[in-house]
Amino acid sequence: QVQLEESGGGSVQAGGALRLSCETSESISVINAMGWYREAPGKQRDFVAAVRAGGEILYADSVEGRFTISRETTKNTVYLQMNSLQPEDTGDYYCFAERDWGDYVQDYYGQGTQVTVSS
């Protein structure tokens, strides 16, 4: 079982910034990809950003240019720097990790951290 501990959510006004952190109980060396999904009130969970083991970075179109994902391998931690936040960025942000068990992979999610952006 992979544990993911998220932190950094909060409330900001439009145009503000927040940084989310996600620490995994596993070494990043066995993690294929790590990143974030978000779930706005009343909506489905959507992909936000991810970083693959090889360093490839992916962003949703809605956050590209405003959000930056990075990782610190010595701390088994991934960060999501969110700038120029808008009310539509409001939601619960869930860290995920795709763990490689050798003959299969499995996704794990954190408990979520709330982000509220007011206009």
Side-chain angles (χ1 to χ4, degrees), residues 25-40:
S25 58
E26 300 281 313
S27 168
I28 284 189
S29 64
V30 297
I31 301 296
N32 288 340
M34 210 166 153
W36 300 87
Y37 279 77
R38 69 184 178 191
E39 192 172 307

Side-chain angles (χ1 to χ4, degrees), residues 12-105:
V12 296
Q13 292 191 327
L18 287 171
R19 189 176 84 151
L20 306 183
S21 301
C22 177
E23 182 178 358
T24 173
S25 58
E26 300 281 313
S27 168
I28 284 189
S29 64
V30 297
I31 301 296
N32 288 340
M34 210 166 153
W36 300 87
Y37 279 77
R38 69 184 178 191
E39 192 172 307
K43 295 188 177 180
Q44 67 182 19
R45 190 174 294 188
D46 290 328
F47 171 77
V48 176
V51 53
R52 296 188 182 278
E56 180 186 12
I57 290 177
L58 305 170
Y59 293 106
D61 290 343
S62 59
V63 307
E64 182 126 34
R66 299 187 298 121
F67 291 11
T68 302
I69 189 169
S70 60
R71 63 182 177 183
E72 191 167 358
T73 54
T74 57
K75 294 185 177 180
N76 298 331
T77 298
V78 169
Y79 304 97
L80 185 68
Q81 178 65 44
M82 306 186 293
N83 297 330
S84 301
L85 283 162
Q86 300 301 317
E88 53 265 35
D89 295 316
T90 293
D92 293 321
Y93 283 67
Y94 295 90
C95 177
F96 80 91
E98 181 185 283
R99 210 286 195 190
D100 189 341
W101 291 100
D103 52 355
Y104 71 97
V105 295

